[in-house]
Amino acid sequence: NWTDAPTAEIIEIAHAFIDLGGDAVLGHSAHHLHGIEVYRGKPIVYDMGTLLFDNPRRHRMYLSAGFLLDFDRTGFRRLEIRPYILTPGRVQRASGDELAQIKNILITATHALNPATQLTDHGTALVASFTPDDTPRSRRPDDPPVVHSTNTTRSLPAEYRDLKADVVMDEIPEWCREMTPV
């Protein structure tokens, strides 16, 4: 928690995840925005910042972002980063000096990880565009069997299809009222 950059171990794990066939890594736990890396044509967001259930006044946690990954049949093509400011009980689009501060954090942290990964300024957002890497991955003897064939679909089992999400809440749950000033 509260780090400003990924450790060497986290970078190694993210790279290994991509090497094993992952299409993207979206990291979280530091509660601070970290840089972005494109590794073998795949996006790695080392830490997405914070959006919910924390005290945004701690450290630089109030500086956050949303991440939109666009993809097609060949893989991810574009990553759009939308800067946000957190205040108790509210997330809002960043503007002015705070927008510039978040962009600077992301551009600087991304450049420190890999200067070849470029974030371009698109007004109220930053964008990374990339081409998926078609480098074949070799299977290891202990890899699990392939359980999905490309360009095929399967129905979601009924027990999962019928589940209803309860993500939206009309009010702050009782168990977190002490953590969130109202």
Side-chain angles (χ1 to χ4, degrees):
N1 285 339
W2 322 122
T3 62
D4 293 331
T7 63
E9 181 182 38
I10 295 295
I11 293 169
E12 182 181 341
I13 291 168
H15 287 186
F17 181 80
I18 298 295
D19 290 341
L20 289 169
D23 290 315
V25 175
L26 299 174
H28 176 68
S29 186
H31 303 284
H32 285 188
L33 292 169
H34 286 186
I36 311 306
E37 182 181 17
V38 176
Y39 174 74
R40 294 183 66 182
K42 311 286 183 170
I44 300 173
V45 178
Y46 283 101
D47 201 285
M48 299 184 294
T50 296
L51 287 180
L52 301 171
F53 300 120
D54 279 310
N55 182 348
R57 288 177 249 155
R58 187 167 183 180
H59 302 278
R60 66 171 196 185
M61 187 188 299
Y62 71 100
L63 303 170
S64 197
F67 297 83
L68 176 67
L69 283 164
D70 288 334
F71 61 95
D72 61 21
R73 288 180 173 266
T74 62
F76 290 104
R77 294 284 179 189
R78 183 175 186 269
L79 170 64
E80 183 174 332
I81 306 165
R82 298 177 182 174
Y84 293 109
I85 295 298
L86 281 60
T87 57
R90 178 177 293 209
V91 176
Q92 59 195 32
R93 293 292 296 260
S95 61
D97 290 343
E98 293 169 322
L99 174 63
Q101 186 178 5
I102 293 169
K103 286 181 177 181
N104 184 55
I105 288 168
L106 288 164
I107 290 169
T108 301
T110 295
H111 188 265
L113 285 165
N114 184 347
T117 301
Q118 296 296 312
L119 297 178
T120 56
D121 195 329
H122 284 248
T124 59
L126 292 171
V127 173
S129 298
F130 40 92
T131 304
D133 181 9
D134 295 327
T135 305
R137 291 173 183 85
S138 59
R139 293 190 53 76
R140 297 178 184 172
D142 57 344
D143 281 349
V146 174
V147 295
H148 180 73
S149 298
T150 303
N151 296 322
T152 64
T153 59
R154 297 183 290 200
S155 295
L156 190 63
E159 67 264 22
Y160 297 111
R161 193 173 42 245
D162 297 334
L163 290 175
K164 302 297 180 214
D166 61 354
V167 174
V168 178
M169 298 181 184
D170 293 327
E171 61 184 60
I172 297 171
E174 189 64 40
W175 58 267
C176 70
R177 287 187 192 271
E178 290 178 20
M179 298 185 306
T180 309
V182 181

